[in-house]
Amino acid sequence: IQRLIGAGGDPQARTPSGDTLLHVALDARAWRALRALLAAGADPLVADRDALRVLSRAVLRGDGEALEVLLAAGVPLTAVGQGEEPLLLAVARRGDEKIAARLLAAGADAGIADAAGRTPLWLAAAAGHEPLVRMLLAAGVSADISDRVGLTPLTAAAAAGHAAVVDHLLGHGGKTEVRTGRDGSALISAAARGHGEVVALLLRHDFAIDVQDGFGDTALIAAARGGHVAVCERLLQAGADRQLRNRDRLSAREVAERRGFARLAALLGG
């Protein structure tokens, strides 16, 4: 590549497969050639055969050394295509805290959100990437920024059953009174999916146990619908009101009966 440039070759040339010389150098981990191409005017915004720019390709591969070379050579964090996901969001989905740390150090916006309003913290929490959640919170990201339907990182983590992430968010400002855009709560989300450890954590932080969502379901009714006996027992021990009814005028016991959970219905009947 360096001889090609020295002989007046085009730094924007492509291989028969559609890769640019920048992508070839990246794949070969030929850092001197990569720097020479950039110095000769190779455009880092030109996409490869998969429509990825060279910076995105390095980040999505988790290649920290390539990322360092590109940033040191002056490639900006904005060198991604219009259709590509912002780098920090892509990294948050995968949970690569080392790459995320380098992006943050280079000035990446920790509060950026996708079209659904989900921030890097939201994505990391929903996927259970606790080390990355810790890093983003340490960077000053709010634990309570919700997506477009009102789901917070805490609710996303609770719904997915990521107890360690839930515990960390609660310890760093996750608000227990936050309701979702569907008028539910983290407790209802966790109970509906049978996440007993998460339910226990939330109850220890004084979540409103009998709050009702837009359908009138409480955590107890939601757990009964899923047949989650252990969760129902935990909620009853914490004082859940078994007499409350949803919009269909059904109590937790009646919901369990309709689902065929006879043992659970007997428990909920008192």
Side-chain angles (χ1 to χ4, degrees), residues 169-200:
L169 288 167
L170 288 170
H172 287 75
K175 295 179 181 177
T176 60
E177 70 271 16
V178 170
R179 302 281 291 278
T180 74
R182 301 182 182 94
D183 202 31
S185 71
L187 183 60
I188 293 174
S189 296
R193 294 162 178 82
H195 299 314
E197 186 177 358
V198 173
V199 168

PDB file of all heavy atoms in Angstrom, residues 169-200:
ATOM      1  N   LEU A 169     -28.429  -0.070  39.897  1.00  0.00           N
ATOM      2  CA  LEU A 169     -29.203   1.116  39.535  1.00  0.00           C
ATOM      3  C   LEU A 169     -29.927   1.692  40.752  1.00  0.00           C
ATOM      4  O   LEU A 169     -29.977   2.910  40.939  1.00  0.00           O
ATOM      5  CB  LEU A 169     -30.209   0.769  38.437  1.00  0.00           C
ATOM      6  CG  LEU A 169     -29.621   0.514  37.045  1.00  0.00           C
ATOM      7  CD1 LEU A 169     -30.660  -0.124  36.141  1.00  0.00           C
ATOM      8  CD2 LEU A 169     -29.124   1.823  36.441  1.00  0.00           C
ATOM      9  N   LEU A 170     -30.476   0.826  41.582  1.00  0.00           N
ATOM     10  CA  LEU A 170     -31.148   1.291  42.797  1.00  0.00           C
ATOM     11  C   LEU A 170     -30.168   1.982  43.733  1.00  0.00           C
ATOM     12  O   LEU A 170     -30.516   2.956  44.413  1.00  0.00           O
ATOM     13  CB  LEU A 170     -31.806   0.108  43.514  1.00  0.00           C
ATOM     14  CG  LEU A 170     -33.055  -0.468  42.836  1.00  0.00           C
ATOM     15  CD1 LEU A 170     -33.461  -1.779  43.505  1.00  0.00           C
ATOM     16  CD2 LEU A 170     -34.205   0.529  42.875  1.00  0.00           C
ATOM     17  N   GLY A 171     -28.936   1.494  43.750  1.00  0.00           N
ATOM     18  CA  GLY A 171     -27.922   2.099  44.609  1.00  0.00           C
ATOM     19  C   GLY A 171     -27.338   3.378  44.055  1.00  0.00           C
ATOM     20  O   GLY A 171     -26.563   4.054  44.747  1.00  0.00           O
ATOM     21  N   HIS A 172     -27.683   3.710  42.828  1.00  0.00           N
ATOM     22  CA  HIS A 172     -27.137   4.920  42.196  1.00  0.00           C
ATOM     23  C   HIS A 172     -28.234   5.813  41.637  1.00  0.00           C
ATOM     24  O   HIS A 172     -28.126   6.379  40.545  1.00  0.00           O
ATOM     25  CB  HIS A 172     -26.146   4.536  41.096  1.00  0.00           C
ATOM     26  CG  HIS A 172     -24.847   4.024  41.613  1.00  0.00           C
ATOM     27  ND1 HIS A 172     -24.722   2.757  42.153  1.00  0.00           N
ATOM     28  CD2 HIS A 172     -23.625   4.613  41.727  1.00  0.00           C
ATOM     29  CE1 HIS A 172     -23.470   2.581  42.542  1.00  0.00           C
ATOM     30  NE2 HIS A 172     -22.800   3.678  42.302  1.00  0.00           N
ATOM     31  N   GLY A 173     -29.297   5.920  42.384  1.00  0.00           N
ATOM     32  CA  GLY A 173     -30.297   6.923  42.051  1.00  0.00           C
ATOM     33  C   GLY A 173     -31.504   6.458  41.288  1.00  0.00           C
ATOM     34  O   GLY A 173     -32.355   7.276  40.935  1.00  0.00           O
ATOM     35  N   GLY A 174     -31.609   5.170  40.986  1.00  0.00           N
ATOM     36  CA  GLY A 174     -32.806   4.688  40.305  1.00  0.00           C
ATOM     37  C   GLY A 174     -34.028   4.917  41.184  1.00  0.00           C
ATOM     38  O   GLY A 174     -34.093   4.423  42.305  1.00  0.00           O
ATOM     39  N   LYS A 175     -34.988   5.661  40.691  1.00  0.00           N
ATOM     40  CA  LYS A 175     -36.120   6.072  41.516  1.00  0.00           C
ATOM     41  C   LYS A 175     -37.187   4.991  41.592  1.00  0.00           C
ATOM     42  O   LYS A 175     -37.616   4.455  40.575  1.00  0.00           O
ATOM     43  CB  LYS A 175     -36.735   7.366  40.960  1.00  0.00           C
ATOM     44  CG  LYS A 175     -35.785   8.554  41.033  1.00  0.00           C
ATOM     45  CD  LYS A 175     -36.428   9.795  40.439  1.00  0.00           C
ATOM     46  CE  LYS A 175     -35.469  10.982  40.477  1.00  0.00           C
ATOM     47  NZ  LYS A 175     -36.066  12.176  39.834  1.00  0.00           N
ATOM     48  N   THR A 176     -37.606   4.710  42.785  1.00  0.00           N
ATOM     49  CA  THR A 176     -38.605   3.655  42.972  1.00  0.00           C
ATOM     50  C   THR A 176     -40.002   4.101  42.552  1.00  0.00           C
ATOM     51  O   THR A 176     -40.863   3.262  42.294  1.00  0.00           O
ATOM     52  CB  THR A 176     -38.655   3.218  44.445  1.00  0.00           C
ATOM     53  OG1 THR A 176     -38.996   4.352  45.260  1.00  0.00           O
ATOM     54  CG2 THR A 176     -37.316   2.676  44.898  1.00  0.00           C
ATOM     55  N   GLU A 177     -40.218   5.405  42.455  1.00  0.00           N
ATOM     56  CA  GLU A 177     -41.579   5.844  42.137  1.00  0.00           C
ATOM     57  C   GLU A 177     -41.800   6.032  40.642  1.00  0.00           C
ATOM     58  O   GLU A 177     -42.897   6.382  40.210  1.00  0.00           O
ATOM     59  CB  GLU A 177     -41.897   7.170  42.854  1.00  0.00           C
ATOM     60  CG  GLU A 177     -41.144   8.398  42.331  1.00  0.00           C
ATOM     61  CD  GLU A 177     -39.811   8.613  43.024  1.00  0.00           C
ATOM     62  OE1 GLU A 177     -39.328   7.666  43.676  1.00  0.00           O
ATOM     63  OE2 GLU A 177     -39.251   9.722  42.918  1.00  0.00           O
ATOM     64  N   VAL A 178     -40.776   5.817  39.829  1.00  0.00           N
ATOM     65  CA  VAL A 178     -40.930   6.014  38.390  1.00  0.00           C
ATOM     66  C   VAL A 178     -41.897   4.992  37.817  1.00  0.00           C
ATOM     67  O   VAL A 178     -41.778   3.797  38.056  1.00  0.00           O
ATOM     68  CB  VAL A 178     -39.563   5.908  37.683  1.00  0.00           C
ATOM     69  CG1 VAL A 178     -39.741   5.871  36.170  1.00  0.00           C
ATOM     70  CG2 VAL A 178     -38.697   7.104  38.062  1.00  0.00           C
ATOM     71  N   ARG A 179     -42.887   5.486  37.063  1.00  0.00           N
ATOM     72  CA  ARG A 179     -43.846   4.603  36.378  1.00  0.00           C
ATOM     73  C   ARG A 179     -43.513   4.595  34.891  1.00  0.00           C
ATOM     74  O   ARG A 179     -42.934   5.534  34.356  1.00  0.00           O
ATOM     75  CB  ARG A 179     -45.269   5.121  36.589  1.00  0.00           C
ATOM     76  CG  ARG A 179     -45.678   5.247  38.051  1.00  0.00           C
ATOM     77  CD  ARG A 179     -46.067   3.902  38.632  1.00  0.00           C
ATOM     78  NE  ARG A 179     -47.311   3.421  38.059  1.00  0.00           N
ATOM     79  CZ  ARG A 179     -48.525   3.816  38.481  1.00  0.00           C
ATOM     80  NH1 ARG A 179     -48.652   4.692  39.456  1.00  0.00           N
ATOM     81  NH2 ARG A 179     -49.618   3.314  37.925  1.00  0.00           N
ATOM     82  N   THR A 180     -43.877   3.552  34.200  1.00  0.00           N
ATOM     83  CA  THR A 180     -43.607   3.483  32.771  1.00  0.00           C
ATOM     84  C   THR A 180     -44.695   4.183  31.992  1.00  0.00           C
ATOM     85  O   THR A 180     -45.747   4.532  32.524  1.00  0.00           O
ATOM     86  CB  THR A 180     -43.546   2.016  32.289  1.00  0.00           C
ATOM     87  OG1 THR A 180     -44.875   1.497  32.254  1.00  0.00           O
ATOM     88  CG2 THR A 180     -42.706   1.159  33.215  1.00  0.00           C
ATOM     89  N   GLY A 181     -44.412   4.388  30.695  1.00  0.00           N
ATOM     90  CA  GLY A 181     -45.397   5.029  29.830  1.00  0.00           C
ATOM     91  C   GLY A 181     -46.659   4.201  29.694  1.00  0.00           C
ATOM     92  O   GLY A 181     -47.690   4.706  29.284  1.00  0.00           O
ATOM     93  N   ARG A 182     -46.575   2.920  30.016  1.00  0.00           N
ATOM     94  CA  ARG A 182     -47.773   2.067  29.989  1.00  0.00           C
ATOM     95  C   ARG A 182     -48.457   2.064  31.356  1.00  0.00           C
ATOM     96  O   ARG A 182     -49.318   1.243  31.618  1.00  0.00           O
ATOM     97  CB  ARG A 182     -47.392   0.641  29.592  1.00  0.00           C
ATOM     98  CG  ARG A 182     -46.730   0.533  28.223  1.00  0.00           C
ATOM     99  CD  ARG A 182     -46.418  -0.924  27.889  1.00  0.00           C
ATOM    100  NE  ARG A 182     -45.749  -1.037  26.605  1.00  0.00           N
ATOM    101  CZ  ARG A 182     -44.437  -1.071  26.449  1.00  0.00           C
ATOM    102  NH1 ARG A 182     -43.648  -0.985  27.496  1.00  0.00           N
ATOM    103  NH2 ARG A 182     -43.896  -1.190  25.257  1.00  0.00           N
ATOM    104  N   ASP A 183     -48.015   2.980  32.212  1.00  0.00           N
ATOM    105  CA  ASP A 183     -48.598   3.145  33.535  1.00  0.00           C
ATOM    106  C   ASP A 183     -48.358   1.917  34.409  1.00  0.00           C
ATOM    107  O   ASP A 183     -49.162   1.596  35.285  1.00  0.00           O
ATOM    108  CB  ASP A 183     -50.101   3.450  33.441  1.00  0.00           C
ATOM    109  CG  ASP A 183     -50.604   4.154  34.705  1.00  0.00           C
ATOM    110  OD1 ASP A 183     -49.816   4.898  35.322  1.00  0.00           O
ATOM    111  OD2 ASP A 183     -51.761   3.948  35.067  1.00  0.00           O
ATOM    112  N   GLY A 184     -47.253   1.237  34.174  1.00  0.00           N
ATOM    113  CA  GLY A 184     -46.877   0.100  35.004  1.00  0.00           C
ATOM    114  C   GLY A 184     -45.716   0.470  35.906  1.00  0.00           C
ATOM    115  O   GLY A 184     -45.540   1.614  36.276  1.00  0.00           O
ATOM    116  N   SER A 185     -44.926  -0.510  36.278  1.00  0.00           N
ATOM    117  CA  SER A 185     -43.770  -0.263  37.124  1.00  0.00           C
ATOM    118  C   SER A 185     -42.765  -1.380  36.942  1.00  0.00           C
ATOM    119  O   SER A 185     -43.058  -2.432  36.352  1.00  0.00           O
ATOM    120  CB  SER A 185     -44.191  -0.183  38.599  1.00  0.00           C
ATOM    121  OG  SER A 185     -44.559  -1.477  39.078  1.00  0.00           O
ATOM    122  N   ALA A 186     -41.556  -1.156  37.451  1.00  0.00           N
ATOM    123  CA  ALA A 186     -40.520  -2.187  37.406  1.00  0.00           C
ATOM    124  C   ALA A 186     -40.974  -3.434  38.157  1.00  0.00           C
ATOM    125  O   ALA A 186     -40.695  -4.566  37.739  1.00  0.00           O
ATOM    126  CB  ALA A 186     -39.222  -1.643  37.999  1.00  0.00           C
ATOM    127  N   LEU A 187     -41.693  -3.251  39.260  1.00  0.00           N
ATOM    128  CA  LEU A 187     -42.151  -4.383  40.061  1.00  0.00           C
ATOM    129  C   LEU A 187     -43.145  -5.241  39.274  1.00  0.00           C
ATOM    130  O   LEU A 187     -43.058  -6.479  39.287  1.00  0.00           O
ATOM    131  CB  LEU A 187     -42.793  -3.885  41.354  1.00  0.00           C
ATOM    132  CG  LEU A 187     -43.265  -4.973  42.329  1.00  0.00           C
ATOM    133  CD1 LEU A 187     -42.097  -5.846  42.773  1.00  0.00           C
ATOM    134  CD2 LEU A 187     -43.947  -4.342  43.540  1.00  0.00           C
ATOM    135  N   ILE A 188     -44.084  -4.613  38.598  1.00  0.00           N
ATOM    136  CA  ILE A 188     -45.054  -5.360  37.796  1.00  0.00           C
ATOM    137  C   ILE A 188     -44.335  -6.109  36.668  1.00  0.00           C
ATOM    138  O   ILE A 188     -44.623  -7.274  36.402  1.00  0.00           O
ATOM    139  CB  ILE A 188     -46.137  -4.423  37.231  1.00  0.00           C
ATOM    140  CG1 ILE A 188     -46.995  -3.859  38.371  1.00  0.00           C
ATOM    141  CG2 ILE A 188     -47.021  -5.153  36.221  1.00  0.00           C
ATOM    142  CD1 ILE A 188     -47.993  -2.808  37.923  1.00  0.00           C
ATOM    143  N   SER A 189     -43.379  -5.445  36.026  1.00  0.00           N
ATOM    144  CA  SER A 189     -42.645  -6.075  34.926  1.00  0.00           C
ATOM    145  C   SER A 189     -41.896  -7.312  35.398  1.00  0.00           C
ATOM    146  O   SER A 189     -41.902  -8.354  34.729  1.00  0.00           O
ATOM    147  CB  SER A 189     -41.672  -5.071  34.298  1.00  0.00           C
ATOM    148  OG  SER A 189     -42.366  -3.985  33.706  1.00  0.00           O
ATOM    149  N   ALA A 190     -41.226  -7.204  36.544  1.00  0.00           N
ATOM    150  CA  ALA A 190     -40.461  -8.340  37.068  1.00  0.00           C
ATOM    151  C   ALA A 190     -41.386  -9.461  37.532  1.00  0.00           C
ATOM    152  O   ALA A 190     -41.133 -10.648  37.270  1.00  0.00           O
ATOM    153  CB  ALA A 190     -39.575  -7.879  38.220  1.00  0.00           C
ATOM    154  N   ALA A 191     -42.462  -9.093  38.196  1.00  0.00           N
ATOM    155  CA  ALA A 191     -43.399 -10.107  38.699  1.00  0.00           C
ATOM    156  C   ALA A 191     -44.061 -10.865  37.558  1.00  0.00           C
ATOM    157  O   ALA A 191     -44.257 -12.084  37.635  1.00  0.00           O
ATOM    158  CB  ALA A 191     -44.460  -9.439  39.572  1.00  0.00           C
ATOM    159  N   ALA A 192     -44.403 -10.167  36.492  1.00  0.00           N
ATOM    160  CA  ALA A 192     -45.087 -10.803  35.361  1.00  0.00           C
ATOM    161  C   ALA A 192     -44.221 -11.879  34.722  1.00  0.00           C
ATOM    162  O   ALA A 192     -44.739 -12.834  34.135  1.00  0.00           O
ATOM    163  CB  ALA A 192     -45.460  -9.755  34.325  1.00  0.00           C
ATOM    164  N   ARG A 193     -42.896 -11.735  34.844  1.00  0.00           N
ATOM    165  CA  ARG A 193     -41.977 -12.678  34.205  1.00  0.00           C
ATOM    166  C   ARG A 193     -41.369 -13.672  35.197  1.00  0.00           C
ATOM    167  O   ARG A 193     -40.487 -14.454  34.841  1.00  0.00           O
ATOM    168  CB  ARG A 193     -40.882 -11.899  33.475  1.00  0.00           C
ATOM    169  CG  ARG A 193     -41.433 -11.093  32.297  1.00  0.00           C
ATOM    170  CD  ARG A 193     -40.477 -10.014  31.838  1.00  0.00           C
ATOM    171  NE  ARG A 193     -41.005  -9.295  30.680  1.00  0.00           N
ATOM    172  CZ  ARG A 193     -41.894  -8.301  30.753  1.00  0.00           C
ATOM    173  NH1 ARG A 193     -42.364  -7.919  31.945  1.00  0.00           N
ATOM    174  NH2 ARG A 193     -42.322  -7.701  29.662  1.00  0.00           N
ATOM    175  N   GLY A 194     -41.812 -13.579  36.437  1.00  0.00           N
ATOM    176  CA  GLY A 194     -41.361 -14.543  37.432  1.00  0.00           C
ATOM    177  C   GLY A 194     -39.959 -14.347  37.950  1.00  0.00           C
ATOM    178  O   GLY A 194     -39.336 -15.296  38.442  1.00  0.00           O
ATOM    179  N   HIS A 195     -39.452 -13.121  37.885  1.00  0.00           N
ATOM    180  CA  HIS A 195     -38.091 -12.846  38.347  1.00  0.00           C
ATOM    181  C   HIS A 195     -38.089 -12.586  39.852  1.00  0.00           C
ATOM    182  O   HIS A 195     -38.128 -11.437  40.324  1.00  0.00           O
ATOM    183  CB  HIS A 195     -37.503 -11.648  37.596  1.00  0.00           C
ATOM    184  CG  HIS A 195     -37.403 -11.860  36.111  1.00  0.00           C
ATOM    185  ND1 HIS A 195     -36.902 -13.016  35.561  1.00  0.00           N
ATOM    186  CD2 HIS A 195     -37.743 -11.053  35.071  1.00  0.00           C
ATOM    187  CE1 HIS A 195     -36.927 -12.928  34.238  1.00  0.00           C
ATOM    188  NE2 HIS A 195     -37.445 -11.754  33.914  1.00  0.00           N
ATOM    189  N   GLY A 196     -38.062 -13.667  40.623  1.00  0.00           N
ATOM    190  CA  GLY A 196     -38.204 -13.565  42.067  1.00  0.00           C
ATOM    191  C   GLY A 196     -37.120 -12.771  42.751  1.00  0.00           C
ATOM    192  O   GLY A 196     -37.387 -12.007  43.686  1.00  0.00           O
ATOM    193  N   GLU A 197     -35.869 -12.929  42.316  1.00  0.00           N
ATOM    194  CA  GLU A 197     -34.773 -12.195  42.961  1.00  0.00           C
ATOM    195  C   GLU A 197     -34.930 -10.694  42.741  1.00  0.00           C
ATOM    196  O   GLU A 197     -34.693  -9.889  43.652  1.00  0.00           O
ATOM    197  CB  GLU A 197     -33.432 -12.671  42.394  1.00  0.00           C
ATOM    198  CG  GLU A 197     -32.229 -12.081  43.107  1.00  0.00           C
ATOM    199  CD  GLU A 197     -30.901 -12.605  42.586  1.00  0.00           C
ATOM    200  OE1 GLU A 197     -30.917 -13.468  41.673  1.00  0.00           O
ATOM    201  OE2 GLU A 197     -29.853 -12.147  43.056  1.00  0.00           O
ATOM    202  N   VAL A 198     -35.347 -10.314  41.540  1.00  0.00           N
ATOM    203  CA  VAL A 198     -35.562  -8.892  41.249  1.00  0.00           C
ATOM    204  C   VAL A 198     -36.725  -8.362  42.063  1.00  0.00           C
ATOM    205  O   VAL A 198     -36.659  -7.257  42.631  1.00  0.00           O
ATOM    206  CB  VAL A 198     -35.809  -8.674  39.744  1.00  0.00           C
ATOM    207  CG1 VAL A 198     -36.207  -7.226  39.470  1.00  0.00           C
ATOM    208  CG2 VAL A 198     -34.570  -9.046  38.943  1.00  0.00           C
ATOM    209  N   VAL A 199     -37.812  -9.115  42.146  1.00  0.00           N
ATOM    210  CA  VAL A 199     -38.969  -8.708  42.959  1.00  0.00           C
ATOM    211  C   VAL A 199     -38.541  -8.468  44.395  1.00  0.00           C
ATOM    212  O   VAL A 199     -38.920  -7.460  45.018  1.00  0.00           O
ATOM    213  CB  VAL A 199     -40.086  -9.773  42.887  1.00  0.00           C
ATOM    214  CG1 VAL A 199     -41.162  -9.503  43.945  1.00  0.00           C
ATOM    215  CG2 VAL A 199     -40.710  -9.790  41.497  1.00  0.00           C
ATOM    216  N   ALA A 200     -37.729  -9.356  44.947  1.00  0.00           N
ATOM    217  CA  ALA A 200     -37.264  -9.199  46.325  1.00  0.00           C
ATOM    218  C   ALA A 200     -36.448  -7.927  46.492  1.00  0.00           C
ATOM    219  O   ALA A 200     -36.598  -7.195  47.489  1.00  0.00           O
ATOM    220  CB  ALA A 200     -36.433 -10.416  46.731  1.00  0.00           C
TER     221      ALA A 200
END
